[in-house]
Amino acid sequence: EDLRDIVPACRDSSHTKQTILDKALQYIDQIMRNIKSQEKSIAELSVERSRQAELQREHQMWQAKMEYMRKSYGLQHHPPAPSSCTTAIHHFNVISSLPGHHLRKIPTEAI
């Protein structure tokens, strides 16, 4: 009777002892599959977390390099432009402001 209460497929019905044992084994197998699936998900999340931390460190390194280059060339930080067209103009203007470049800046107000 206790096993019948534990196994969901055996609740509220009358089964033979053999049927109850078979269903109990099926239930245990299902629980084991669920545990393995959860362990796999945990392992995948752990790998994903490690990769995310690695990407965060790489992102910070690139930010530091960009800041160093800005300071080295005396450039101000410009936030990214809202569209691809203005972003391209922004990059053109940044490059044209570097020493040795004689390109004329494009006014962004005209866009």
Side-chain angles (χ1 to χ4, degrees):
E1 207 172 300
D2 291 332
L3 191 56
R4 187 177 301 171
D5 295 334
I6 296 171
V7 179
C10 295
R11 292 182 189 149
D12 302 328
S13 61
S14 59
H15 295 285
T16 64
K17 289 181 182 181
Q18 182 63 39
T19 304
I20 293 171
L21 289 175
D22 288 340
K23 291 189 182 283
L25 289 174
Q26 291 172 2
Y27 182 62
I28 291 169
D29 286 341
Q30 180 62 44
I31 290 173
M32 294 302 292
R33 283 192 299 273
N34 290 347
I35 290 171
K36 286 180 183 179
S37 174
Q38 290 172 353
E39 287 173 344
K40 182 180 175 187
S41 295
I42 289 169
E44 290 171 353
L45 288 171
S46 177
V47 168
E48 185 66 28
R49 182 181 295 154
S50 297
R51 179 69 179 136
Q52 182 180 11
E54 179 184 327
L55 288 172
Q56 182 66 28
R57 285 189 299 274
E58 185 177 344
H59 176 73
Q60 290 171 346
M61 177 203 59
W62 284 110
Q63 282 183 322
K65 284 184 178 186
M66 289 297 297
E67 188 60 30
Y68 172 78
M69 290 184 72
R70 282 188 195 103
K71 288 179 181 179
S72 295
Y73 289 108
L75 301 174
Q76 295 178 359
H77 175 70
H78 299 284
S83 72
S84 59
C85 179
T86 54
T87 301
I89 291 171
H90 167 74
H91 290 293
F92 178 83
N93 287 340
V94 169
I95 291 170
S96 64
S97 67
L98 294 174
H101 288 277
H102 304 289
L103 302 172
R104 195 178 77 208
K105 288 187 177 184
I106 301 171
T108 54
E109 301 80 38
I111 301 172

